[in-house]
């Protein structure tokens, strides 16, 4: 059997984490290629249904990453995101979806190395956790 | 301490006593109308009815074990906007708790409503209720039901009440301006009415009903009822958690769902004016379906079923009051109330929130604090 490679969908904010991801790329930092980035204007606009859809469609984890507390371009979007992630974790954990599969991190625009580390750490964590049920299972 | 007054019952007819009480409320002119469950005709069919003429209270029946839909949404229609006069609403505790949630979502207006809650002994599902009444006099049936339920009968008239009611730990409406007590009393002798707010207090004193001390039998009977229902609820949570412990099990649990969205229509706290699942966001193109089918070799149609339920839970689980109208509305008897309540218990506990308890507690997703839930971000605030 082929070794399991996780697919991770990442919703990153335009102002901080996307810029950090760009920096990590231009600085040629080493990172696993398992993450599919989706650039949002703010983590506060990551609708819970985007996360649910990604997980049902077979993403092994969802990463939401934005500005550090206090740094949000829209003042408090990241605090709202934190409550939504908490809510999603509470809902999904009952259906056997490990809370580690919905991850929220703060990565500032200048923290390219932090972004690469976050990605590498998450990929390793999900490799250990194994594939999500919906990778094989058709659930819509 | 709430003021409690006595409503005398004559001729062993507590419904007539309640009708008289509501007539007094109307005549007081603090409210311009009373919204109360009323039999539409002599076959028992019952709907919330806005009554302005006391003579029309004759078929009003607050004891009916019927729950056609959650009237919190109706009260929203009657209170949201500028009003000269208030409307009194005779509601079940779960309707009041749903209304409290809708007020916090800026859909209903508490200032325009005078809430009158009635102890809830449980209700039948819609079809079970009509079967229960059959050709009998509906008001007499309601009173028989109340007597049997108060005597502790599990299935009055041979029909069990809705599961949501069996699992309901809030049989009394303490959030109301006035609450009418049945539990622990001989309803053929008298009922009690307690005021929980200043305006409830004011109305009660104007009505001039005789004061009465809260009977110890009532507190005891209420505690017993809550205990029984809580035990049922906790068992239900356990069974539902077990039945939906994986995504595969959840999909199996929901496999009868035909995406009719009745549960969403019936839900009093599904607050969106337009549900995203009926917008063109979900008007997928034919090639998209074929693509998705190609991913795993097949695609269940209609699509977006589990997706819909999980998204709905993300929207309403922190506001779920457990009224059970979702299950009442489900055409395929999927135990949706059990699922939604189980998840709601989890999410409400996570935010230290109890839906419908008070207008003072902000809905969890409407507020935040600078330092909280650090476990979500790996210990980093």
């Amino acid at each position: 059997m082929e070794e399991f490679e996780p697919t991770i969908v990442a919703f990153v904010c335009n102002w901080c984490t996307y810029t950090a991801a760009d920096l990590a790329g231009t600085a040629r930092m080493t990172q696993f290629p398992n993450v599919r980035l989706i650039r949002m204007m703010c983590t506060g606009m990551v609708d819970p249904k985007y996360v649910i859809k990604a997980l049902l469609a077979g993403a092994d984890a969802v990463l939401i990453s934005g500005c550090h507390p206090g740094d949000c371009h829209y003042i408090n979007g990241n605090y709202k995101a934190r409550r939504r992630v908490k809510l999603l974790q509470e809902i999904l954990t009952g259906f056997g979806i490990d809370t580690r599969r919905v991850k929220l991190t703060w990565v500032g625009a200048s923290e390219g190395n932090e972004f690469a580390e976050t990605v590498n750490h998450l990929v390793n964590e999900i490799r250990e956790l194994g594939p999500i049920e919906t990778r094989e299972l058709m659930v819509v | 301490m709430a003021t409690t007054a006595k409503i005398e019952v004559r001729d062993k007819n507590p419904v007539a006593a309640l009708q008289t009480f509501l007539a007094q409320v109307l005549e007081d002119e603090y409210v311009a109308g009373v919204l109360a469950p009323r039999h539409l005709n002599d076959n028992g069919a019952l709907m919330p009815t806005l009554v302005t003429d006391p003579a029309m209270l004759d078929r009003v029946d607050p004891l009916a074990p019927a729950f056609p839909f959650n009237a919190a949404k109706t009260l929203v229609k009657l209170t949201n906007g500028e009003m000269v006069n208030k409307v009194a609403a005779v509601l079940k505790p779960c309707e009041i708790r749903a209304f409290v949630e809708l007020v916090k979502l800026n859909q209903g207006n508490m200032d325009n409503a005078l809430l009158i809650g009635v102890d809830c002994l449980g209700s039948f599902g819609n079809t079970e209720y009509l079967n229960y009444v059959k050709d009998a006099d509906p008001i007499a049936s309601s009173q028989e039901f109340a007597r049997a339920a108060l005597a502790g009968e599990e299935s009055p008239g041979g029909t069990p009440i809705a599961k949501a009611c069996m699992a309901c730990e809030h049989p009394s409406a303490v959030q109301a301006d006035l609450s009418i007590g049945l539990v622990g009393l001989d309803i053929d002798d008298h009922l009690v009415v307690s005021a929980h707010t200043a305006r409830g207090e004011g109305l009660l004193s104007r009505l001039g009903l005789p004061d009465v001390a809260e009977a110890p039998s009532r507190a005891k009977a209420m505690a017993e009822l809550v205990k029984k229902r809580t035990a049922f609820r906790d068992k239900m949570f356990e069974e539902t958690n077990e039945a939906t412990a994986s995504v595969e099990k959840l999909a199996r649990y929901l496999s009868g769902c035909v995406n009719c969205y009745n549960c969403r229509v019936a839900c009093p706290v599904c607050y969106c004016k337009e549900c995203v699942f009926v917008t063109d966001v979900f008007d997928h193109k034919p090639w998209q379906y074929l693509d998705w089918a190609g991913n795993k070799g097949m695609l269940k149609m209609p699509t977006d079923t589990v997706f819909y339920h999980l998204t709905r839970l993300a929207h309403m689980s922190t506001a779920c009051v457990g009224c059970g109208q979702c299950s009442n509305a489900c055409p395929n008897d999927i135990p949706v109330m059990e699922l939604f309540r189980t998840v709601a218990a989890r999410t409400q506990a996570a935010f230290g929130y109890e839906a419908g308890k008070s207008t003072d507690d902000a809905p969890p997703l409407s507020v935040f604090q600078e330092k909280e839930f650090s476990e979500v971000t790996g210990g980093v605030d």
Side-chain angles (χ1 to χ4, degrees):
Chain A
M1 197 186 128
E2 231 178 280
E3 207 171 315
F4 162 62
E5 274 301 329
T7 303
I8 293 166
V9 175
F11 298 98
V12 295
C13 101
N14 174 62
W15 305 98
C16 288
T17 308
Y18 186 84
T19 311
D22 208 21
L23 181 60
T26 48
R28 297 176 176 274
M29 289 172 189
T30 314
Q31 37 177 323
F32 294 125
N34 305 51
V35 173
R36 321 292 195 257
L37 286 182
I38 298 174
R39 181 190 196 172
M40 312 288 285
M41 288 313 285
C42 181
T43 50
M45 65 174 289
V46 179
D47 192 309
K49 68 178 169 289
Y50 303 162
V51 179
I52 295 167
K53 174 74 180 175
L55 294 172
L56 287 180
D60 296 291
V62 170
L63 169 68
I64 300 168
S65 186
C67 309
H68 286 275
D71 287 351
C72 178
H73 190 80
Y74 305 100
I75 301 165
N76 54 31
N78 47 3
Y79 293 124
K80 293 170 181 164
R82 183 167 58 192
R83 284 215 161 201
R84 287 192 195 122
V85 170
K86 177 71 184 164
L87 175 75
L88 277 167
Q89 288 186 344
E90 288 298 328
I91 293 174
L92 297 172
T93 184
F95 308 124
I97 296 178
D98 195 286
T99 51
R100 283 169 287 182
R101 295 192 193 275
V102 186
K103 195 172 180 73
L104 176 68
T105 60
W106 316 127
V107 177
S110 61
E111 300 175 321
N113 53 345
E114 190 73 25
F115 179 78
E117 262 175 43
T118 300
V119 165
N120 290 342
H121 182 261
L122 181 61
V123 170
N124 279 328
E125 196 173 54
I126 303 301
R127 275 182 188 152
E128 259 175 53
L129 197 58
I132 195 168
E133 219 186 330
T134 50
R135 185 174 265 265
E136 299 298 328
L137 193 70
M138 193 275 305
V139 175
V140 288
Chain B
M1 189 61 201
T3 313
T4 301
K6 190 171 173 178
I7 301 176
E8 294 285 354
V9 174
R10 290 194 185 83
D11 308 323
K12 300 199 169 191
N13 192 339
V15 168
L18 286 172
Q19 289 171 352
T20 310
F21 171 74
L22 293 175
Q24 288 173 297
V25 170
L26 263 180
E27 279 153 13
D28 174 72
E29 292 185 350
Y30 178 68
V31 297
V34 173
L35 178 75
R38 184 181 188 276
H39 295 287
L40 304 177
N41 42 53
D42 55 12
N43 75 354
L46 173 132
M47 285 291 156
T49 305
L50 181 61
V51 181
T52 52
D53 178 354
M56 297 298 165
L57 291 166
D58 60 339
R59 278 186 178 159
V60 163
D61 182 2
L63 299 191
F67 192 19
F69 65 94
N70 192 308
K73 277 180 164 176
T74 309
L75 193 56
V76 163
K77 285 187 200 298
L78 295 177
T79 59
N80 98 32
E82 291 291 312
M83 283 177 88
V84 180
N85 295 103
K86 292 180 197 300
V87 169
V90 180
L91 299 173
K92 295 180 190 298
C94 56
E95 294 177 307
I96 288 174
R97 287 164 50 246
F99 186 68
V100 166
E101 285 302 305
L102 292 170
V103 166
K104 290 193 269 190
L105 294 162
N106 296 322
Q107 298 197 0
N109 187 338
M110 199 60 96
D111 294 339
N112 294 336
L114 181 96
L115 303 176
I116 304 176
V118 184
D119 275 3
C120 186
L121 307 170
S123 294
F124 297 118
N126 290 351
T127 40
E128 287 83 1
Y129 173 66
L130 291 178
N131 286 337
Y132 172 76
V133 176
K134 284 208 192 76
D135 304 322
D137 170 48
I139 289 181
S141 306
S142 301
Q143 298 186 143
E144 258 168 52
F145 169 86
R147 286 181 200 112
L150 286 168
E153 267 184 51
E154 294 279 342
S155 306
T159 317
I161 55 170
K163 273 202 171 153
C165 304
M166 290 195 231
C168 172
E169 70 280 51
H170 301 287
S172 177
V174 288
Q175 296 85 346
D177 295 293
L178 294 175
S179 69
I180 290 168
L182 312 171
V183 174
L185 303 174
D186 174 6
I187 58 165
D188 289 325
D189 181 68
H190 73 278
L191 311 172
V192 294
V193 51
S194 307
H196 304 280
T197 62
R199 52 191 189 178
E201 201 92 34
L203 176 64
L204 204 52
S205 65
R206 287 198 301 281
L207 296 185
L209 296 167
D211 270 7
V212 68
E214 184 91 30
S217 65
R218 176 160 161 73
K220 186 165 168 272
M222 190 58 89
E224 268 171 29
L225 182 61
V226 170
K227 192 176 160 207
K228 192 170 99 180
R229 289 181 172 185
T230 306
F232 185 93
R233 180 200 68 181
D234 292 345
K235 187 162 169 277
M236 176 182 95
F237 287 166
E238 210 176 293
E239 288 168 359
T240 309
N241 273 324
E242 173 61 36
T244 58
S246 66
V247 177
E248 184 174 21
K249 281 180 156 185
L250 175 67
R252 183 192 295 260
Y253 192 91
L254 295 168
S255 54
C257 178
V258 293
N259 291 31
C260 70
Y261 306 134
N262 279 7
C263 48
R264 182 256 293 158
V265 175
C267 180
V269 295
C270 225
Y271 47 78
C272 299
K273 293 288 178 188
E274 186 181 27
C275 178
V276 68
F277 282 87
V278 297
T279 63
D280 53 11
V281 172
F282 288 88
D283 276 346
H284 307 309
K285 300 278 174 279
W287 60 264
Q288 287 181 292
Y289 291 110
L290 283 168
D291 254 20
W292 291 326
N295 285 339
K296 281 165 188 156
M298 59 169 179
L299 180 70
K300 191 221 52 135
M301 303 291 278
T303 57
D304 306 312
T305 308
V306 174
F307 186 22
Y308 154 73
H309 287 290
L310 289 177
T311 303
R312 207 176 86 80
L313 279 166
H315 283 201
M316 53 51 79
S317 69
T318 55
C320 175
V321 295
C323 72
Q325 281 300 336
C326 42
S327 276
N328 196 16
C330 181
N332 295 310
D333 296 328
I334 301 165
V336 280
M337 175 281 294
E338 287 86 331
L339 174 64
F340 301 155
R341 268 215 76 182
T342 301
V343 175
R346 215 155 58 217
T347 58
Q348 290 178 24
F351 291 103
Y353 183 77
E354 186 188 317
K357 189 178 171 197
S358 162
T359 45
D360 297 335
D361 311 331
L365 273 290
S366 70
V367 287
F368 58 82
Q369 286 175 0
E370 282 187 23
K371 288 193 192 299
E372 60 177 0
F373 305 122
S374 62
E375 74 279 10
V376 167
T377 46
V380 188
D381 272 320

